[in-house]
Amino acid sequence: MDYQQKLAEKLTILNERGNGVLIRMNYIKKSCADPKTRLPLLTEKATEPAIKYINKKFPNIDFRGNIQHLTSIQRQKSEVLAATASYYDSFLDVIEFRDHVYELLNTIDACQCFFDILINFDFTKSYLDLITTYTSVIITLSRIDDKKALVGLFNCAHEMTNGSSDPSYPRLGQMFVEYEHPWKKLTEEFGPHTRSVTAALLSLRMVYPRRNLPAEQWRSAQLLSLLSAPAAMLDPACCDTMACEYLSMEVMERWIIIGFLLCHTSLNTNQASQELWKMALRSGLVLTLTRDEVLNIHKVSEELFDSFKGYSKRVADIKECREHVIVNGGALHRERRQFLRGALKELFKVLEDEPGLLGPKALFVFMALSFSRDEVLWLVRHSENMPKIKTPEDYIDNQMAELLFYMEKLRGLMKKYYLVVQRYHVQYLSQFDALVLNDTIQNMYVCPEEESVLMSSFVSTLSALSVKQVENKEEFDLRGLRLDWLRLQAYASVNKAPLPLKDYPDLAKVMNVIQFHTRMVDSLEELLQETSEMSILCFYPRVFEKMFIQSSEMMTMKRYLMAFPIACSHFSLCGHPLCPEETGSMEKRSLRLCVTFLEQIAKLTSSVVLEICAEQCNLNDQLQPKHCAESISAARHRKQKKPLPKKGEVQKEKPGAESMRKDRIIVTNMDKLHMMLTELCSTYSLCTDFVVFDHIVVPTEFLVSHLETRLSEIIVRMANYNQATQEIARPSELLAGVRAYTASLHSLSCYINVDVTRLVKNVLLQQTQPLDPRGGQTITTIYTNWFLESLLRQASNSLIVHCPTMHCFVNQTTDNDPLFRAEEFSDISELQALAELIGAYGLKFLSDNLIWHITSQVSELKKMVIENMDVLVQMKNNFDKPEEMANLKKRLTGGENVLKRMTIVGVILSFRAMAQDSLKDILRKHCPYMMGPIEYLRDFITPEVDIKVTLSIFELASAAGLRCDIDPALVTAIGSMQTDNTSIDEEYKLSCLLLVYIAVSLPTLTLDPNSSYSREHGGHNNNIHCLAKAINQLAAAMFTVQNKNIEQHLKEFLLMASSTLLQLGQNVERIESKNRESVYLLLHMIVEESPFLSQDMLESCFPYVLLRNAYREVYRAFIVTLG
């Protein structure tokens, strides 16, 4: 008969079901209370009268007689039915659960079951769990404010749709009414079960007081210490009450408080019950029902006992216990946490050093985790529900990170050495436990058949275990054995059982030990979850974040901060299949908390790293050549024995003085920063990655992301660009700063596994683009704008001169001081530094901007050609007739403007060529094996090759900084200028006439006093020497677009330019021919610059003697010294 009751199976199933129903009720309560998730029906104005009517008349609602109140439901009955169906079904689950619980509790009472946590642990635990779960379901249900409205709306819509009420509605309505005052009703229900409940609770007398000790007694007993008895270190940690050792204190307190509230009569009749109850009341102020739903134990107990006669002493006890908690509770638990921090650290260090001890001492780990979890959860729920006390600091723990950290470390150690633990316990079970169990069975004087079969199966199952199974990585499943043991507990705990378990405590002790050992073999993960999962923190986000902030403010806690985000990986463990809707919100909350913590840790770490980098950058800056002038001056003064500086003057320290220290005790700022960096980097050692709701989280990636963002901002800030004053740092200075930062960042890889090279490459690659990933300006944009707006704009006005001799731009000598020295920003070293910083991509962006300015000048030149087209056509046909040319020249307008615009084009192209050369030099240094093939490919191009192939190869070469006969970027830009309105022939005509325009305008250059040639600069003072580059590159690009012969048209230009310049010699006015020789040199420069013209061509149309005399004339002003 007792075997047919299936008490063990029913307890297991109902506990699982009850947890799901409880979570479901809590979810409904929270969703109805939150305006964001509340059912729209409950907030709509149209349904407000119906809801008021339902709440007023519930449960006896006349759905037909008062139709005027329910018209809104009538109009949308199908929508109401669909919206409230899931809520209605959930409330029906409560009724179903309640019915099964009633039935089982009555069966247990009828069987007069025996309960003792020390003997039939699983049976007693399941029984007490069922009582507290059932009570929590009812209490949570009673706290749902909208339950009547939801059920009433469903039934109303159901009756309107089907013509009759739902069959379950009367029972559901009756249950809601009965549980208006849940505790009163529950105490009535549990009156008949008082004997069983009290017996089960009183079995905790040996367990609960032993666990509920102050930290002083833990410390004196050297709890959790493996070093307290070195001789017994290898002995297995074993006792008669294995499972009780890591049983949660919170669970026991919930059993005691709720159990004695339901079965309160024993408090007046049994002194032991009263002492146990008072001890639980002194442990805290609130108990968790589920999630963040709590029970204010003193308030509820006082209100309930006030309604009963003869409980005045118990009410006084409650008040006394509450005062005791308020005065002593916070300090007691603070000391416990302080003790556990040290105990866990010591335990972890020993086990990390000797992981083989995890086998015999596994119980210590689970005890440590369970004790710590209890203290964390106590603080969390009391911090959220903190009473008004004089010492609120007892409820604040700024060292919580350390406790969480070592809990995670112990969890990680158990998972890492799982096979060690498994191997040890497989051997223990098969070679010791099986033998002890067999001996125990043999010594039993009564052993019925059913029990005999079960116990024989235990022995055979354990004896069959072997180490080979571990070595072969076979999966173990001993859940059947544990369930059979639970069945046996149920069979042997009923009254008049053939095998009364209370008469065979030795069997119970052996089996309880075996049960723990089997869990070490096949369900270690479950046991870790049971003793250390922190999913409750998901439902207290404010407290959780506050704990993180408090810990992050302490220097010594920074190394433990990673425990907070890793705790978020536990949150996925608390879901239940009965409430899948909860998973989405939990996932969002978990990821938000996890990301927030990791962002904060990364922010702290990156700030320290970059502060160290900034300090190193400052030290590096002191070694720059620009700071050596003072040292040279001081050395010169010493040599000349000049008077020493006065006492009031502060002598500047030499670089390196910061490293000199007389006493190691003196702590510098850098020492503090490095110490903080060490602490912060230590926290990343906890794990390389973890999973939060199927999302793989890599903590170091957050750090890399922060460093990328901050480093990008710092590089831009180091450029010191001021748009108003056009001030900017020299590229070489910025490059030195970047290199100093990079060198310092590489030291980070000594602390933590971060790919600093990848980090720096990513940042610098971002800086080669016009905008960074966040839409901010980069140094590419900044330097492009500066060179265009400052340097080249002044160069176009001849305030700055292109200097071919020194390969840079230089300032013209003027009365006003220049804003900057052009050569300090445009010489070879500076442009090479710029190429290092912004790379090929950045220089392409710079080049594209330069080309845009060129095309804008070309479009203006075309407009001028169109305005003078008739005159230019005649000049082209009559260039060898001086008299007609002189007349036509008078009709030509804008000659100076044409040359001015062409000079601007030339200046831009000259600067672009310098930048390209710098890029070539840098690429040759970084990737010589790539540059060689590109150069060979460019050199193999001949005029016979198809122009498309030629341009594609030239584009490759140009991107690598190599000079090409035809500029592909210029070709593309000029080609895109052609519109549908103009034909190719018209464009060709304009190109030819533009060259004519330039050629016939050259003599006007002699009128400009700045057209003089400077031997020092290797060019003219008004940059007209840049015309050579402009004419050659522009002509090559234009005629390439039009598919014409470049060489032929440049020869024609040379012939026309020579003719017009030769006519200068016939002019007798000295003013006009003042700079004639300097202008003559332009022809030589054009030929020198051109890959299509030769000196032979020039000599055929312009006498070489004139060039020789021109050079002699312009060089005459300079003194030549030899040796």
Side-chain angles (χ1 to χ4, degrees):
M1 178 66 183
D2 297 327
Y3 304 141
Q4 296 171 6
Q5 298 296 341
K6 297 192 180 296
L7 300 180
E9 291 86 341
K10 288 178 181 178
L11 279 170
T12 304
I13 293 167
L14 281 177
N15 270 314
E16 175 62 22
R17 180 73 175 178
N19 284 328
V21 172
L22 178 57
I23 289 168
R24 183 77 190 165
M25 290 300 104
N26 180 69
Y27 174 76
I28 291 173
K29 178 183 178 295
K30 291 289 184 288
S31 60
C32 288
D34 187 354
K36 294 178 182 176
T37 56
R38 199 176 185 201
L39 196 66
L41 275 173
L42 300 174
T43 56
E44 288 174 3
K45 198 76 175 174
T47 56
E48 192 175 326
I51 292 170
K52 284 183 178 177
Y53 175 72
I54 289 168
N55 283 329
K56 184 179 179 182
K57 298 292 184 180
F58 190 88
N60 302 313
I61 304 166
D62 185 3
F63 296 109
R64 296 177 185 176
N66 290 280
I67 196 67
Q68 70 273 13
H69 294 292
L70 306 172
T71 51
S72 58
I73 309 299
Q74 177 69 41
R75 285 197 297 269
Q76 49 179 343
K77 55 189 176 187
S78 57
E79 290 84 356
V80 171
L81 205 60
T84 56
S86 65
Y87 295 95
Y88 190 83
D89 291 341
S90 298
F91 293 134
L92 289 182
D93 287 341
V94 176
I95 287 188
E96 183 189 23
F97 177 62
R98 185 183 70 159
D99 292 345
H100 286 294
V101 170
Y102 277 170
E103 182 188 347
L104 181 59
L105 292 179
N106 290 331
T107 304
I108 289 173
D109 278 351
C111 294
Q112 298 180 20
C113 290
F114 157 76
F115 294 105
D116 189 337
I117 198 81
L118 300 177
I119 295 176
N120 52 2
F121 173 85
D122 299 297
F123 189 53
T124 305
K125 180 180 183 297
S126 299
Y127 177 70
L128 292 172
D129 278 343
L130 183 63
I131 291 169
T132 53
T133 302
Y134 171 68
T135 306
S136 300
V137 168
I138 298 301
I139 298 302
T140 308
L141 174 68
S142 69
R143 294 179 181 182
I144 300 173
D145 296 328
D146 295 316
K147 59 181 178 293
K148 292 180 181 178
L150 290 166
V151 170
L153 284 169
F154 175 85
N155 196 50
C156 177
H158 188 279
E159 183 154 328
M160 290 173 179
T161 305
N162 302 305
S164 62
S165 293
D166 184 78
S168 304
Y169 175 72
R171 285 197 68 205
L172 200 53
Q174 184 62 30
M175 184 180 74
F176 286 178
V177 172
E178 286 177 354
Y179 290 113
E180 284 287 338
H181 303 287
W183 284 109
K184 191 172 182 180
K185 177 65 177 172
L186 285 167
T187 53
E188 292 172 6
E189 290 175 355
F190 273 85
H193 311 305
T194 301
R195 190 194 66 80
S196 297
V197 174
T198 305
L201 292 174
L202 287 175
S203 70
L204 294 170
R205 281 180 301 169
M206 294 294 293
V207 179
Y208 180 65
R210 195 174 68 213
R211 285 286 303 278
N212 194 9
L213 296 173
E216 293 79 14
Q217 287 184 251
W218 282 359
R219 198 169 282 111
S220 61
Q222 294 186 304
L223 187 72
L224 303 174
S225 176
L226 297 179
L227 304 177
S228 59
M233 192 174 281
L234 293 176
D235 295 346
C238 196
C239 65
D240 296 337
T241 56
M242 294 284 274
C244 295
E245 300 306 314
Y246 55 83
L247 182 61
S248 171
M249 273 262 291
E250 184 192 17
V251 169
M252 287 191 280
E253 285 164 5
R254 194 182 299 125
W255 291 344
I256 295 166
I257 297 295
I258 292 176
F260 283 125
L261 276 173
L262 299 175
C263 307
H264 49 80
T265 53
S266 67
L267 294 176
N268 283 340
T269 58
N270 191 322
Q271 184 65 28
S273 298
Q274 194 181 121
E275 288 174 3
L276 191 63
W277 172 68
K278 286 168 72 173
M279 187 180 291
L281 283 176
R282 290 194 187 102
S283 65
L285 296 165
V286 290
L287 273 179
T288 302
L289 292 176
T290 181
R291 308 293 194 234
D292 57 339
E293 200 67 25
V294 295
L295 183 69
N296 192 322
I297 55 179
H298 300 93
K299 182 182 177 184
V300 169
S301 301
E302 190 175 341
E303 288 174 355
L304 179 63
F305 290 170
D306 267 337
S307 64
F308 299 137
K309 290 182 180 179
Y311 279 81
S312 56
K313 288 185 178 179
R314 301 293 76 78
V315 172
D317 288 339
I318 292 166
K319 291 178 179 178
E320 183 268 325
C321 290
R322 187 175 186 278
E323 287 303 314
H324 182 274
V325 174
I326 290 173
V327 174
N328 303 308
L332 174 75
H333 287 274
R334 185 192 65 224
E335 289 302 315
R336 281 186 186 171
R337 291 193 301 276
Q338 189 64 34
F339 166 79
L340 286 170
R341 272 189 279 271
L344 260 68
K345 186 175 182 179
E346 179 192 302
L347 184 63
F348 169 72
K349 293 292 183 185
V350 173
L351 293 175
E352 184 187 37
D353 190 52
E354 294 292 342
L357 290 174
L358 284 168
K361 301 299 182 184
L363 181 62
F364 276 63
V365 175
F366 293 107
M367 287 171 63
L369 291 174
S370 181
F371 290 8
S372 303
R373 179 176 180 269
D374 281 336
E375 294 308 315
V376 172
L377 299 192
W378 188 94
L379 182 64
V380 167
R381 65 178 182 270
H382 282 81
S383 296
E384 188 74 2
N385 304 279
M386 190 169 65
K388 292 180 181 178
I389 52 174
K390 294 180 181 178
T391 55
E393 62 273 8
D394 288 340
Y395 293 84
I396 296 169
D397 192 346
N398 51 15
Q399 294 180 308
M400 182 56 74
E402 186 177 1
L403 189 57
L404 293 174
F405 183 85
Y406 281 110
M407 285 179 72
E408 285 298 333
K409 279 287 191 182
L410 283 173
R411 281 170 60 95
L413 212 58
M414 289 298 285
K415 290 177 182 178
K416 183 179 179 181
Y417 296 106
Y418 172 57
L419 290 175
V420 172
V421 178
Q422 191 182 58
R423 185 188 184 94
Y424 178 87
H425 285 94
V426 163
Q427 290 177 295
Y428 203 112
L429 285 165
S430 62
Q431 297 173 21
F432 183 80
D433 285 337
L435 301 177
V436 172
L437 179 60
N438 190 47
D439 290 345
T440 306
I441 295 169
Q442 296 299 325
N443 293 330
M444 291 171 61
Y445 54 85
V446 175
C447 193
E449 183 181 351
E450 183 76 19
E451 285 81 349
S452 177
V453 170
L454 282 176
M455 289 189 284
S456 299
S457 71
F458 295 161
V459 175
S460 59
T461 302
L462 297 178
S463 301
L465 297 174
S466 70
V467 177
K468 285 186 178 180
Q469 291 174 286
V470 179
E471 292 171 351
N472 297 333
K473 296 185 178 178
E474 292 182 24
E475 284 194 17
F476 293 90
D477 188 356
L478 299 172
R479 288 176 298 176
L481 185 146
R482 290 193 291 275
L483 186 56
D484 282 344
W485 168 229
L486 177 57
R487 287 194 184 102
L488 184 57
Q489 290 177 59
Y491 299 160
S493 297
V494 299
N495 189 32
K496 297 180 182 179
L499 178 70
L501 194 60
K502 59 185 175 183
D503 295 342
Y504 297 97
D506 291 340
L507 173 65
K509 291 171 185 177
V510 170
M511 283 306 301
N512 285 333
V513 170
I514 288 173
Q515 192 219 37
F516 174 75
H517 289 166
T518 59
R519 296 191 74 178
M520 293 295 96
V521 174
D522 69 337
S523 62
L524 184 67
E525 192 75 38
E526 289 177 22
L527 197 53
L528 283 173
Q529 183 179 337
E530 182 184 320
T531 54
S532 64
E533 62 95 10
M534 293 290 178
S535 57
I536 194 72
L537 294 169
C538 180
F539 304 97
Y540 290 94
R542 193 181 64 83
V543 175
F544 197 26
E545 289 180 87
K546 191 176 178 182
M547 284 178 176
F548 175 82
I549 292 166
Q550 289 164 351
S551 294
S552 65
E553 289 170 354
M554 283 193 70
M555 179 69 175
T556 54
M557 288 296 110
K558 293 187 188 299
R559 63 168 53 222
Y560 307 120
L561 291 177
M562 194 57 68
F564 285 93
I566 291 179
C568 297
S569 65
H570 300 188
F571 299 168
S572 60
L573 304 174
C574 66
H576 199 279
L578 270 182
C579 192
E581 301 94 333
E582 189 184 41
T583 306
S585 60
M586 283 188 348
E587 181 176 357
K588 287 179 184 176
R589 195 182 308 132
S590 303
L591 289 171
R592 183 188 68 79
L593 286 167
C594 181
V595 168
T596 301
F597 296 146
L598 288 171
E599 289 280 359
Q600 288 298 318
I601 296 168
K603 187 178 179 182
L604 285 170
T605 310
S606 62
S607 297
V608 174
V609 169
L610 294 173
E611 205 171 331
I612 291 170
C613 290
E615 190 67 30
Q616 291 293 340
C617 187
N618 291 336
L619 296 174
N620 184 72
D621 186 62
Q622 293 175 21
L623 299 175
Q624 293 296 315
K626 63 182 180 180
H627 295 300
C628 68
E630 293 180 18
S631 301
I632 294 170
S633 175
R636 190 179 175 195
H637 279 209
R638 284 196 299 273
K639 195 172 182 180
Q640 294 176 356
K641 296 183 179 178
K642 291 197 173 181
L644 294 169
K646 295 177 182 178
K647 289 183 179 179
E649 294 181 20
V650 179
Q651 287 189 331
K652 190 175 179 181
E653 288 185 340
K654 290 183 180 179
E658 73 284 341
S659 300
M660 297 176 66
R661 213 173 339 195
K662 292 182 180 178
D663 192 347
R664 183 61 212 168
I665 297 172
I666 300 169
V667 179
T668 64
N669 186 47
M670 283 292 279
D671 291 337
K672 292 176 183 177
L673 289 172
H674 277 288
M675 177 62 74
M676 194 180 297
L677 180 61
T678 306
E679 292 290 316
L680 285 165
C681 287
S682 294
T683 197
Y684 286 95
S685 67
L686 184 54
C687 69
T688 54
D689 58 74
F690 56 92
V691 178
V692 179
F693 279 95
D694 298 328
H695 297 267
I696 298 174
V697 180
V698 184
T700 51
E701 288 301 314
F702 286 82
L703 175 59
V704 170
S705 176
H706 259 272
L707 285 172
E708 277 188 13
T709 304
R710 292 284 305 279
L711 191 57
S712 292
E713 293 169 356
I714 287 168
I715 289 174
V716 171
R717 199 160 55 242
M718 283 167 64
N720 292 328
Y721 180 54
N722 187 326
Q723 198 166 2
T725 60
Q726 289 297 309
E727 293 177 6
I728 198 168
R730 292 166 63 181
S732 59
E733 292 177 359
L734 178 56
L735 180 61
V738 169
R739 283 175 172 163
Y741 265 83
T742 304
S744 295
L745 278 171
H746 273 289
S747 65
L748 181 63
S749 56
C750 299
Y751 295 91
I752 185 174
N753 187 19
V754 172
D755 190 348
V756 176
T757 304
R758 187 196 74 173
L759 162 68
V760 174
K761 281 182 177 178
N762 285 348
V763 171
L764 293 179
L765 189 61
Q766 290 171 14
Q767 292 301 313
T768 65
Q769 304 302 309
L771 297 173
D772 64 18
R774 293 156 297 283
Q777 281 194 332
T778 61
I779 55 173
T780 294
T781 306
I782 288 170
Y783 276 105
T784 297
N785 292 341
W786 186 85
F787 277 112
L788 285 169
E789 298 297 325
S790 295
L791 191 140
L792 294 178
R793 179 164 290 182
Q794 292 191 45
S796 64
N797 296 324
S798 300
L799 298 174
I800 290 175
V801 182
H802 175 243
C803 179
T805 306
M806 295 188 287
H807 297 281
C808 66
F809 284 84
V810 294
N811 297 86
Q812 287 274 42
T813 305
T814 58
D815 296 334
N816 299 324
D817 291 333
L819 294 174
F820 60 90
R821 294 186 65 192
E823 60 270 26
E824 290 183 356
F825 292 86
S826 61
D827 66 7
I828 292 174
S829 62
E830 294 300 328
L831 290 180
Q832 284 181 351
L834 182 68
E836 285 266 21
L837 287 167
I838 66 174
Y841 286 118
L843 284 175
K844 187 178 186 306
F845 177 76
L846 173 61
S847 174
D848 290 344
N849 277 269
L850 295 173
I851 294 293
W852 182 87
H853 281 272
I854 290 170
T855 53
S856 64
Q857 295 294 338
V858 170
S859 63
E860 293 299 320
L861 287 168
K862 285 184 177 180
K863 289 176 186 177
M864 296 174 69
V865 169
I866 292 168
E867 289 173 8
N868 294 276
M869 186 174 286
D870 295 338
V871 178
L872 290 170
V873 169
Q874 293 179 51
M875 293 180 92
K876 181 183 179 185
N877 297 330
N878 299 299
F879 73 90
D880 54 344
K881 299 173 183 177
E883 295 81 5
E884 288 190 31
M885 286 292 286
N887 294 328
L888 290 169
K889 197 170 183 181
K890 291 175 183 177
R891 292 168 55 193
L892 191 67
T893 58
E896 291 181 2
N897 198 357
V898 167
L899 292 174
K900 177 70 174 172
R901 291 188 182 279
M902 283 298 292
T903 303
I904 291 171
V905 171
V907 169
I908 293 172
L909 287 172
S910 298
F911 174 75
R912 184 167 173 267
M914 290 163 57
Q916 291 285 93
D917 289 342
S918 299
L919 175 62
K920 176 188 68 179
D921 295 338
I922 294 303
L923 290 178
R924 275 181 177 159
K925 183 174 80 173
H926 287 301
C927 42
Y929 297 107
M930 185 185 77
M931 290 297 289
I934 295 175
E935 288 184 50
Y936 290 137
L937 199 59
R938 179 201 63 178
D939 295 341
F940 281 136
I941 291 296
T942 60
E944 291 77 27
V945 177
D946 182 65
I947 190 64
K948 290 183 179 178
V949 176
T950 300
L951 287 176
S952 63
I953 292 172
F954 280 176
E955 189 175 359
L956 170 65
S958 181
L962 300 175
R963 294 194 183 190
C964 303
D965 294 348
I966 303 168
D967 190 330
L970 204 54
V971 170
T972 304
I974 289 174
S976 64
M977 290 176 66
Q978 292 184 1
T979 61
D980 297 335
N981 299 328
T982 56
S983 64
I984 295 177
D985 292 339
E986 288 175 1
E987 289 291 335
Y988 171 60
K989 185 179 180 182
L990 289 175
S991 300
C992 293
L993 293 179
L994 177 59
L995 289 182
V996 172
Y997 207 162
I998 296 166
V1000 299
S1001 302
L1002 287 177
T1004 59
L1005 294 173
T1006 58
L1007 300 174
D1008 187 350
N1010 286 328
S1011 293
S1012 59
Y1013 180 84
S1014 168
R1015 178 196 172 196
E1016 180 187 5
H1017 295 158
H1020 300 77
N1021 290 328
N1022 57 357
N1023 284 324
I1024 59 171
H1025 56 279
C1026 295
L1027 283 168
K1029 191 174 286 293
I1031 291 164
N1032 277 296
Q1033 293 202 17
L1034 211 53
M1038 288 190 299
F1039 293 121
T1040 299
V1041 171
Q1042 292 142 21
N1043 202 18
K1044 301 296 180 181
N1045 190 304
I1046 302 168
E1047 184 178 332
Q1048 180 186 337
H1049 288 87
L1050 281 174
K1051 280 182 184 177
E1052 290 175 5
F1053 167 79
L1054 193 61
L1055 188 63
M1056 192 173 295
S1058 302
S1059 176
T1060 53
L1061 287 176
L1062 285 171
Q1063 291 171 22
L1064 286 174
Q1066 301 169 9
N1067 196 333
V1068 293
E1069 296 179 18
R1070 297 298 299 167
I1071 300 171
E1072 209 174 296
S1073 59
K1074 182 178 181 182
N1075 293 317
R1076 184 177 64 185
E1077 287 77 13
S1078 296
V1079 176
Y1080 281 167
L1081 299 184
L1082 272 178
L1083 288 176
H1084 184 252
M1085 292 176 178
I1086 290 168
V1087 173
E1088 283 286 310
E1089 184 70 32
S1090 176
F1092 305 100
L1093 300 175
S1094 65
Q1095 291 296 334
D1096 293 340
M1097 294 178 190
L1098 176 61
E1099 199 164 349
S1100 65
C1101 55
F1102 193 85
Y1104 181 74
V1105 67
L1106 289 178
L1107 275 179
R1108 185 184 63 198
N1109 291 339
Y1111 271 112
R1112 185 180 62 191
E1113 188 68 28
V1114 297
Y1115 272 69
R1116 186 179 291 171
F1118 296 93
I1119 300 169
V1120 179
T1121 58
L1122 299 174

